[in-house]
Amino acid sequence: MRTKKTFRRVMAMLMMTSLLLAACTGGSTGTGQTGTGETGSSGTGSSKDLVTLRVLIMETGSKWNSQQNNEVAQAIAEKIGVKIEYVEADENKFNVLLAGGDLPDLVRTDVNKYQKQLIEGDLIVPMDELLAKSGKDITANIPTVVDYSKKNWSNGTGKLYFLPPQVQSKPGTSIAPITIGPTIRWDWYKEIGTPEIATMDDLLDVVGKIVEKHPTTEDGKKVYGVSMWQDWGLWPYTIPPIIFTESVSATSDLTASKVGGSDFISNLTDESSNFWTAIDFYNKAQRRGLLDPDSLTMKNNDYMAKATAGQIVVGPATWAMGDFNAQHASEGKGYLVVPAGKLAWTGAVNPLGWQDKAYSISKTSKNPEKAMEFLNYIYSYEGARTMYNGVEGKHWKMVDGKPALTDETLALKAAGGAPYEATGLSLDRNIIGLGGDMLNPNDKMPVDLFTSEESLSKAATPLEKDFAQHYGASYSGEVFKKLIDEGKLNTFTTWMNGMTDEEIVKRNTVPGVTLDDKLKKQEAELKELAAREAAKVILSKDEQSFAANKQAALAAFKKAGADEFTAWYNGEVQRLRKAHGL
């Protein structure tokens, strides 16, 4: 017995070591260091001064690292002397890196899930002194977030540890191209007459018709109607159905409530949940021969490769469809989010930003001062304007006292494809501190200049124009705006209609439920169980076996405590709302 335990400990250590080494090579080291041999520029970002800051993210398949020489990255280097590299990790690798303790300079993660582990593990540093020295824009522009973070994201210490990106206190007035929702190859969807997609069964019928007409890609590869990846936890089961169910999770994938609601159901034991809606969809796809057989084992990078090759008819988001649009921009072929279901994913009011992408500075960072300079930059109006729109004087200019995108930039955006992507404009919104609709008080314009209706129309790609014209609009967001104005689609802010600004902020700043170590362990075990049971149910060969496998899964979830977890979670929600004055 001792030998077996020793063997398991050795194997665990070897696994941890290999992952740590993997994170410290090939552009993904665990600590920041002064860059050598970088492409230099005059001023702050010269090659000898340029500091590489590495950011641990719980995502795979991001585009930031593949576009290291983009013009936005160069502007950041020139302004504050840093280069940003991502260290990508799935949930398992992320947890192994936390256990090892030697982390990259910055950690971007779900603050409600990981604050206790990161703070009590002495893995991150309080930012208070760094903020006082180098955080004037953070202090001035997002004071509500700073105060809230100290009170609610400090594990009771009252110090500043976390800053989430995309802080947005009010909704915008226009709708940019929507990026999340049923994302279909537009030319194929139009070919079959753009039938209405009110339910996920309708979506599957659309997919079936397209695959029947296009069983292979133009270069002969097999086309799959539906696919998914398995290295983002329960994401493939909890996110795609939101458009149809209007049910969203908060700080745990195991629970969900209606958009704007505060009563949570169990995603695992409530048969109306996103999880079971997705399972039903994938099983029907499998039985109709429309499900990619690699769906239950594939990682995100493999999925993206198939999407890039045009082998998937419908995906969950435009950014999930690889580089297909970039490679086929000149042909007017590509994937777009189409109107479907009950909800348009137009973005939300986020007075506290995207809490599941919150930034912290690691204790093992060799450059904590530079890390704070970078964070201050992304929360500055200058930084946000640059990261959304590019370099002043090149991509946009001041015209009669107002910032305006140049015709060349709008044309570049309209052409789309790799040349636009290579600029770095809005390449990763997770790295921008201020939401695009935040007004710059100096010019009274949104920090994201692409959000004006004139810019949206001028910058529409040929694909977006064709889509818009089909629905009698001038740009893609206007298609959804009309449906929203007609009451045919809701948004993430519809429930706030009629509220005052103060009430909107109050209702959107209720502290999120935080799991202790015991509950985090239970959550992880339930998620692993859910993934295993999902595979069994999805592969059911007929309705009878589907029903049997579903009942077995429901029983397993209940036995593992899913309902007790949900009951506790709801109790915490109500306690926190009451303490917040609601």
Side-chain angles (χ1 to χ4, degrees), residues 170-172 246 259-260 343 346-347 349 481 483-501 503-505 507-508:
K170 294 181 181 179
E246 297 184 283
V259 173
L343 186 74
T346 57
V349 170
K481 190 175 188 300
L483 293 170
I484 293 163
D485 291 344
E486 293 168 5
K488 295 178 179 177
L489 286 175
N490 291 325
T491 73
F492 282 94
T493 59
T494 300
W495 66 278
M496 302 177 208
N497 289 348
M499 292 184 185
T500 63
D501 291 348
E503 190 174 2
I504 289 173
V505 171
R507 289 185 176 272
N508 283 276

Side-chain angles (χ1 to χ4, degrees), residues 267-567:
N267 257 329
L268 301 189
T269 63
D270 190 307
E271 296 180 43
S272 69
S273 71
N274 288 1
F275 179 82
W276 283 109
T277 301
I279 296 296
D280 181 68
F281 175 77
Y282 292 131
N283 174 252
K284 288 176 178 175
Q286 181 267 132
R287 284 193 275 149
R288 291 175 62 171
L290 299 173
L291 182 68
D292 177 1
D294 295 329
S295 294
L296 297 173
T297 57
M298 193 158 52
K299 293 188 175 182
N300 178 265
N301 285 337
D302 302 315
Y303 174 98
M304 298 281 264
K306 285 189 177 182
T308 297
Q311 293 181 266
I312 302 170
V313 172
V314 62
T318 54
W319 45 258
M321 306 317 290
D323 291 327
F324 186 93
N325 285 19
Q327 293 183 6
H328 297 273
S330 62
E331 305 165 49
K333 299 176 182 177
Y335 292 90
L336 287 170
V337 175
V338 299
K342 304 172 183 176
L343 186 74
W345 200 305
T346 57
V349 170
N350 293 295
L352 298 176
W354 291 353
Q355 299 175 37
D356 61 337
K357 301 289 193 302
Y359 286 90
S360 56
I361 299 175
S362 77
K363 188 172 184 179
T364 51
S365 172
K366 294 181 180 177
N367 296 288
E369 293 83 7
K370 276 296 181 185
M372 176 52 72
E373 286 184 43
F374 167 70
L375 291 176
N376 188 68
Y377 179 77
I378 68 174
Y379 291 98
S380 69
Y381 292 112
E382 177 188 355
R385 177 68 50 79
T386 299
M387 298 180 88
Y388 281 115
N389 312 282
V391 180
E392 181 178 5
K394 178 176 183 180
H395 299 107
W396 60 276
K397 298 177 180 178
M398 296 299 293
V399 179
D400 298 327
K402 294 286 186 182
L405 293 160
T406 66
D407 290 341
E408 292 78 10
T409 299
L410 290 169
L412 192 64
K413 172 67 169 65
Y420 175 72
E421 217 169 68
T423 64
L425 275 61
S426 300
L427 185 63
D428 182 2
R429 291 178 179 246
N430 298 315
I431 209 173
I432 309 176
L434 303 179
D437 290 313
M438 284 277 281
L439 294 181
N440 184 331
N442 299 314
D443 53 42
K444 304 296 189 275
M445 290 288 287
V447 289
D448 183 358
L449 300 175
F450 284 101
T451 62
S452 73
E453 295 202 359
E454 180 182 10
S455 293
L456 288 168
S457 181
K458 286 183 177 180
T461 66
L463 180 68
E464 292 166 350
K465 285 180 180 178
D466 187 63
F467 167 78
Q469 288 168 4
H470 178 82
Y471 290 100
S474 59
Y475 61 94
S476 62
E478 189 179 12
V479 174
F480 292 89
K481 190 175 188 300
K482 287 183 175 182
L483 293 170
I484 293 163
D485 291 344
E486 293 168 5
K488 295 178 179 177
L489 286 175
N490 291 325
T491 73
F492 282 94
T493 59
T494 300
W495 66 278
M496 302 177 208
N497 289 348
M499 292 184 185
T500 63
D501 291 348
E502 292 77 13
E503 190 174 2
I504 289 173
V505 171
K506 185 176 183 64
R507 289 185 176 272
N508 283 276
T509 53
V510 179
V513 173
T514 301
L515 308 182
D516 61 23
D517 290 341
K518 181 180 178 182
L519 286 163
K520 281 175 65 176
K521 184 172 183 276
Q522 183 185 20
E523 181 192 48
E525 291 171 348
L526 278 164
K527 286 169 68 173
E528 289 178 7
L529 177 63
R532 291 197 302 272
E533 294 296 328
K536 295 177 189 175
V537 183
I538 289 168
L539 293 176
S540 301
K541 298 301 183 184
D542 52 41
E543 288 188 18
Q544 185 177 359
S545 60
F546 177 83
N549 288 332
K550 179 177 181 179
Q551 289 306 313
L554 287 167
F557 298 151
K558 290 175 181 178
K559 183 178 180 181
D563 287 336
E564 288 80 2
F565 181 96
T566 304

Side-chain angles (χ1 to χ4, degrees), residues 108-166:
R108 189 169 86 194
T109 191
D110 190 325
V111 61
N112 293 296
K113 290 185 179 180
Y114 286 97
Q115 61 165 298
K116 180 179 175 67
Q117 184 176 353
L118 288 167
I119 295 172
E120 288 188 359
D122 200 24
L123 299 174
I124 58 176
V125 298
M127 302 184 199
D128 303 77
E129 291 184 11
L130 293 168
L131 183 74
K133 181 180 178 182
S134 307
K136 62 181 180 64
D137 290 297
I138 294 172
T139 302
N141 300 340
I142 57 166
T144 299
V145 177
V146 172
D147 291 343
Y148 183 95
S149 184
K150 290 180 179 181
K151 293 175 183 176
N152 300 285
W153 297 334
S154 67
N155 201 38
T157 66
K159 297 178 180 178
L160 177 67
Y161 283 95
F162 295 96
L163 291 170
Q166 288 293 315

